[in-house]
Amino acid sequence: MRHFERAAEAELARLHEQFRAGTYGPQPGRRAWIAKPGSREQRPLGIPAVRDRNVQGALRHVLEPIFETEFAEHSYGFRPGRGAKDALRRVDALLKAGHVWGVDADLKSYFDTIPHDRLLAFVKTRVADGRVLTLGESYLRAGVLEESKGWRPTEWGTPQGGGIRPLLANLYLNPRDHQMEQAGDEMVRYADDCVPRARDKLMRLARAQLHNR
């Protein structure tokens, strides 16, 4: 990181030339394990190279405006102008409106189990530029370094710790969000945590079945 900061202008120029020549590719990210709040479990965190973080940030700036307008109203995680407090206010409003039954659902290992082919199919519905699609796919399949071992995802998972991950995660769940809306169901979702809410217990059980993946 310090090297990139010291030589930022030269590094950015090198990235620019690599994109022009079609030789750019993400470096393997370093995997670390951090404690999961409220649990003895640990969750993986990916640490991309500084240059790749910069490119992921630029890619997000391109893709986010395209998909942001299509995201469901009840989605609050990692979206511009929204946060956890907004999600809590929505839960409170639903409680006051009589939606007193709810299911607290957490999609286990969500980020590591998103299928690449279906995710890329969602991206292609709105993005036709082959260079952007190739870049996004290269991040999905970027290598991972863990201790002395290295491996490369081939079919599942999004790049943890990268700037593009939250957008891709929201994109994959967006069709399910709209299914809930079209059915007239109330829900609050923050990334892979979702709280379907209902006015009676029978409806609560139905919501739980809807969220089985």
Side-chain angles (χ1 to χ4, degrees), residues 14-24 55 131 135 139:
R14 186 160 67 95
L15 276 174
H16 177 70
E17 287 302 318
Q18 287 176 344
F19 275 110
R20 289 187 59 184
T23 59
Y24 170 80
V55 178
R131 294 169 300 178
L135 183 59
Y139 279 119

Side-chain angles (χ1 to χ4, degrees), residues 2 8 47 64 78 85 94 100 114 119 127 151 190 202 205:
R2 290 178 180 174
I47 307 174
E64 192 168 64
F78 308 110
K85 290 184 178 179
L94 289 173
V100 294
I114 298 176
L119 177 58
V127 177
W151 55 279
Y190 193 96
L202 185 60
L205 296 176

